[in-house]
Amino acid sequence: MGDQNMKIGYSFWGFLGDGITDTPDGGRSHRRTLIDALTALGHQVVFLQKNRDLDEAGQDLTFAYTWERGLPDIDVLMLEYRWTVPSRNDTPCGSPGHTCDLHRQAELIDHYTAAGLPTIVWDKDLQLPLGDDLRRVPHVRLCEAALHPRPGATRLLFPIRDGRLDAADPCVLAGKERDLPLIYVGNQYDRDEQFDRYFAPAAHQVRHVVAGKWRETSRWPHVTFSGRIPFREVEALHRRTVTTVQLRPDRYVQCGQFTQRIFEAVLAGCLPLTPAPAPGVDQVVPRGLQVNDGHEVIEKVMALTRACGSDTHSELIADCLQRLDVFRISRQLDTLTALLGGHDSD
């Protein structure tokens, strides 16, 4: 991007607004932050997947954003990388349950990337195989939302608006009434092992809620699963809760990738207990909130519940907020500017 305003073709499969409840789209917490920041810099962004906000959620955002189902002239293609989901996006178009995200992505790559257009592939779920041909294309820049990206990739984290982080007041957050000791907000995908080790033991001892899509729960009859909740209710749930546990798939842990759950919790004053040691944990989470097993989770949840509203509580929230600095949108824009200006970013 540098000093030149660009027309960016942006492909994502999800929502800019609240969307619908029955969806795993975590990008709602940060996608609009990135798009609005790019637009504020003078770039034009056109969305190249279907308008799910309008088609599925009935929310018309076309007064502020542009969707294009064709193949418009653009300067840069940016993909939130989509991968094969069996029986969903690998089925014939028009078949029951089919989503066309993968087919559309292939069309965009064939039309734009294969023709030599600069392309950014943001592998937000670490699903692009290490041997994939895209990694060897000279005009493709691969980004990962990880503190320690894999070889050949550049760090591009899920962004927080600078103003929102700066406005967060740890004393105000610590002073809120919190009637729930422990929650987990998120889906089951690849998290059973960590759930067994860290969350399930604590669920025997403290009041809790697990909100998200968990299909196989019979092994945890003592756990309260609420099912998916509307996106607009996520912040309210965090604001009434003392602690959460950061449960991450192993591929995230190894690369130091934290999902949007870390800042959804911290910005609401919900303290993020996090399994350690692991790459990047010390950078994002205070030592006092790091845990080694379910027993430590129980101890910390009980201690932090007793400390609610105290100076200790406020200081922990302040420490967590300070460590979110790496997620600022201004930092992510620096990365994108360097990449699209033809330079690798640190």
Side-chain angles (χ1 to χ4, degrees), residues 108-125:
L108 298 174
I109 291 172
D110 288 345
H111 182 80
Y112 294 114
T113 309
L117 192 78
T119 300
I120 292 179
V121 177
W122 194 10
D123 187 10
K124 299 170 69 173
D125 292 273

Side-chain angles (χ1 to χ4, degrees), residues 13 15 18 30 36 48 94 135 152 215 223-224 233 247 253 262 294:
W13 188 251
F15 302 90
D18 288 341
H30 56 265
D36 289 348
L48 300 176
R135 293 180 178 273
R215 287 181 172 175
V223 175
T224 301
E233 295 180 9
L247 304 177
V253 172
I262 185 74

